[in-house]
């Protein structure tokens, strides 16, 4: 006798559907989502849709408009600046702490770099953005500071959303990002903490220039 697979609660299914749509840009910034459309897309009633949208509003991905629906919030320059500032503080500390890098960390970063190269070559920018984020998160986790890791994880959705949007707007950036990841990995492999910090600063600081409109 086969057991039926229990589905997640309806509100969770709507939440996942909308969140994934926002992160992979199926739902672009400025898109108006209605309860009826979402209920039909996921196959649920409107009540769990409202619950899911409230959660997403708290996370800053959408803004609710009574009797109209919810608008997907665009990525703002201020949001980019705030994420960059937090990333800089966490990642520069983490990469310095990672030196001397263990063989396990080097192997894991090489695996992620190879995966990102394959995803970029296949044109799968959403997957490449996820792997890009994983590359940096792996260095942060290696430091063993659970509080910093959780703080960094809180940036996950914002980083992924920004990453996909930036790769679409600046298609040449993916090649530069891969080169910079390779350089960071080489510095860690060589045990050069100062060089690794300098490379991480340059890599992350590019997004600061983007937020200030200095990247064309």
């Amino acid at each position: 006798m086969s057991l039926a697979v229990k589905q997640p609660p309806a509100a969770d299914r709507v939440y996942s559907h909308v969140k994934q749509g926002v992160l992979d840009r199926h739902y672009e910034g400025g898109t108006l989502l209605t309860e009826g459309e979402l209920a039909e897309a996921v196959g649920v009633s409107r009540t769990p849709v409202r619950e899911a949208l409230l959660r997403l509003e708290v996370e800053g991905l959408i803004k609710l408009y009574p009797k109209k629906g919810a608008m997907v919030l665009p990525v703002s320059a201020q949001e980019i600046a705030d994420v960059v500032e937090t990333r800089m503080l966490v990642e520069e500390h983490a990469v310095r702490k990672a030196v001397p890098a263990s063989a396990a960390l080097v192997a894991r970063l090489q695996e992620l770099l190879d995966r990102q190269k394959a995803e970029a070559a296949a044109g799968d920018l959403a997957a490449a953005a996820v792997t890009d984020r994983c590359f940096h998160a792996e260095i942060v986790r290696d430091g063993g500071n659970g509080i910093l890791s959780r703080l960094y994880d809180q940036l996950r959705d914002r980083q992924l959303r920004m990453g996909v949007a930036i790769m679409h707007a600046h298609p040449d950036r993916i090649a530069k990002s891969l080169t910079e990841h390779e350089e960071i990995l080489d510095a860690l492999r060589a045990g050069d903490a100062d060089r690794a910090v300098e490379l991480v600063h340059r890599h992350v600081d590019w997004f600061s220039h983007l937020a200030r409109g200095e990247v064309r």
Side-chain angles (χ1 to χ4, degrees):
M1 186 179 76
S2 61
L3 296 175
V5 177
K6 187 177 179 181
Q7 281 195 313
D12 289 350
R13 280 156 40 213
V14 178
Y15 171 85
S16 297
H17 170 83
V18 177
K19 187 168 191 174
Q20 190 57 49
V22 171
L23 295 182
D24 64 18
R25 298 176 78 242
H26 176 70
Y27 296 133
E28 298 263 14
T31 301
L32 185 66
L33 307 173
T34 68
E35 290 181 4
E37 289 169 345
L38 293 175
E40 185 176 349
V42 184
V44 298
S45 69
R46 293 193 180 204
T47 300
V49 172
R50 293 188 196 106
E51 183 182 331
L53 292 178
L54 283 169
R55 288 169 61 188
L56 291 161
E57 184 177 46
V58 170
E59 293 181 13
L61 293 179
I62 65 169
K63 180 171 178 58
L64 288 173
Y65 291 94
K67 299 182 180 178
K68 291 184 179 179
M71 188 183 77
V72 178
L73 293 174
V75 177
S76 68
Q78 185 60 53
E79 182 179 2
I80 294 174
D82 290 348
V83 169
V84 167
E85 184 177 16
T86 308
R87 282 190 63 184
M88 200 81 82
L89 290 169
V90 174
E91 291 188 40
E92 288 188 6
H93 169 80
V95 78
R96 188 175 291 281
K97 194 173 180 182
V99 176
S102 66
L105 176 61
V106 169
R108 177 61 177 150
L109 293 178
Q110 185 65 62
E111 176 190 339
L112 289 167
L113 180 58
D114 291 342
R115 184 198 303 172
Q116 190 182 12
K117 286 179 179 178
E119 290 162 346
D124 191 343
L125 299 185
V130 171
T131 306
D132 185 295
R133 190 263 167 199
C134 288
F135 182 93
H136 294 278
E138 197 68 34
I139 298 172
V140 175
R141 272 195 296 272
D142 184 74
N145 186 321
I147 294 175
L148 271 185
S149 291
R150 285 192 293 276
L151 171 63
Y152 195 78
D153 284 343
Q154 288 173 10
L155 298 176
R156 176 184 178 274
D157 292 339
R158 296 181 188 276
Q159 284 183 252
L160 292 181
R161 190 172 173 221
M162 285 166 47
V164 177
I166 287 165
M167 286 180 191
H168 278 279
H170 302 274
D172 60 324
R173 179 60 196 168
I174 182 65
K176 292 178 183 175
S177 181
L178 288 168
T179 298
E180 289 166 2
H181 281 183
E182 199 141 23
E183 291 172 342
I184 291 167
L185 178 54
D186 287 344
L188 288 173
R189 192 182 277 118
D192 190 339
D194 290 339
R195 175 66 174 159
V197 168
E198 175 193 344
L199 289 165
V200 165
H201 183 91
R202 186 193 309 161
H203 180 67
V204 177
D205 192 50
W206 182 87
F207 295 92
S208 293
H209 294 293
L210 178 69
R212 294 194 296 267
E214 297 168 359
V215 175
R216 296 288 182 268

